[in-house]
Amino acid sequence: MASLSSLMASLSVAEPYFVRCIKSNPNQKPMVFDDKKIMEQLHYLGMVDTIKVRRMGYNLRYKHEEFLAQIHLIIPAGIDKTQPPREQVINVLNVWNVERRVAQVGHTKTFLRSELKDRLTSQINEMLVKYVLVMQKLARTAMARRHFLAVRRSIVVIQRWWRMAQDQRKFAAQRSAKQHRKKCVVKVQATVRGFLARRRTANLRNERAEAAAEKLASQKRIAVKEAGAAVAAAAASAALR
């Protein structure tokens, strides 16, 4: 008896929800849907009639906070968000010129018909598409800038290496030209020194030849003088005899 009382107390506190189950196909296969069988079951369960009745009235009911959270993307500018949620909902509906037949504002909830919900959903989707396009544009811009910066860094590195290679090639060419000029200068100096040495040698040879010829001539003159003196002495001695 105590357990039954506890069960009844739990049921009285809880909010029961009735779930109607349907079979998607008679073969009990997953992810297979038989439209004809499903529609028959919905008709037999009265779900189609229930949907029609709900669509005839305010079939959508939201708390004011939930409704504002759902439409926060399309709330018109100028709505004072410091006001209570109910006042904000009333101001939003007045700005949109919503007819009372499609929306009503209660003390704690907002009641909507499906046609208004569909229009709001369409506007929200359009706004989401705009935001997505803006985000895609910003993302593409960021990616393009990142790619541009990477390419520019690569180009700077390539240019630095190219300039270094050019400078090395220029320096090697200058050093080769300097070495070639040095070799030419050394060769010219060697040629000049050789020419000067040969000229000095020829001059020395000529000077020696002239000195030898002069010495020989001097010796001849002395010999002639001595011979003349001898002849004179012989003639004098012969005269004395």
Side-chain angles (χ1 to χ4, degrees):
M1 192 65 181
S3 60
L4 181 59
S5 300
S6 176
L7 178 60
M8 293 301 296
S10 300
L11 291 176
S12 62
V13 173
E15 296 181 2
Y17 290 92
F18 299 96
V19 180
R20 294 177 175 86
C21 298
I22 59 175
K23 290 183 179 180
S24 59
N25 61 85
N27 299 324
Q28 298 183 356
K29 292 183 178 180
M31 303 303 296
V32 177
F33 300 93
D34 188 340
D35 296 340
K36 184 178 180 180
K37 294 293 184 182
I38 292 173
M39 288 302 299
E40 288 178 355
Q41 295 177 70
L42 291 176
H43 279 290
Y44 292 150
L45 292 173
M47 293 300 299
V48 176
D49 296 331
T50 302
I51 293 172
K52 289 180 180 180
V53 171
R54 288 183 64 85
R55 289 179 68 89
M56 291 174 62
Y58 300 101
N59 55 319
L60 299 173
R61 302 172 177 85
Y62 303 100
K63 291 183 178 180
H64 299 316
E65 294 83 358
E66 296 176 354
F67 179 67
L68 292 173
Q70 288 187 9
I71 64 170
H72 73 281
L73 292 177
I74 56 175
I75 292 179
I79 299 300
D80 188 3
K81 296 183 179 181
T82 60
Q83 293 180 340
R86 184 174 183 276
E87 298 298 327
Q88 294 185 43
V89 173
I90 293 174
N91 293 334
V92 169
L93 296 179
N94 290 334
V95 172
W96 286 344
N97 294 323
V98 176
E99 299 178 0
R100 295 179 62 85
R101 68 177 185 83
V102 294
Q104 290 288 340
V105 180
H107 290 289
T108 59
K109 290 185 178 182
T110 303
F111 302 90
L112 306 176
R113 288 183 183 271
S114 298
E115 54 181 295
L116 178 60
K117 177 61 177 176
D118 294 339
R119 292 205 305 268
L120 296 179
T121 303
S122 178
Q123 294 179 9
I124 292 172
N125 290 336
E126 291 177 359
M127 189 62 64
L128 287 175
V129 170
K130 291 182 180 178
Y131 283 131
V132 168
L133 291 177
V134 172
M135 293 177 64
Q136 287 179 346
K137 186 185 300 182
L138 293 175
R140 292 192 186 98
T141 302
M143 292 174 64
R145 178 170 178 78
R146 191 180 300 115
H147 177 69
F148 167 75
L149 293 176
V151 171
R152 188 174 67 177
R153 286 194 297 269
S154 301
I155 292 174
V156 170
V157 172
I158 292 172
Q159 289 178 343
R160 184 167 62 245
W161 281 97
W162 176 256
R163 293 192 189 100
M164 185 177 67
Q166 290 293 101
D167 293 340
Q168 289 178 350
R169 189 179 296 111
K170 187 183 298 183
F171 174 75
Q174 292 176 353
R175 184 172 62 182
S176 177
K178 185 177 180 181
Q179 291 177 353
H180 180 68
R181 287 195 300 269
K182 185 177 180 181
K183 289 180 180 179
C184 293
V185 170
V186 170
K187 188 174 182 180
V188 171
Q189 289 177 346
T191 303
V192 172
R193 290 192 185 98
F195 172 75
L196 294 176
R198 286 192 296 273
R199 190 169 65 177
R200 284 196 301 270
T201 303
N203 292 335
L204 289 174
R205 189 179 294 133
N206 294 332
E207 289 176 357
R208 288 177 182 177
E210 291 175 357
E214 186 178 354
K215 184 178 180 181
L216 181 61
S218 177
Q219 288 178 354
K220 286 181 178 180
R221 286 195 299 270
I222 293 171
V224 170
K225 287 181 179 180
E226 289 179 351
V231 171
S237 63
L240 289 177
R241 291 179 184 170

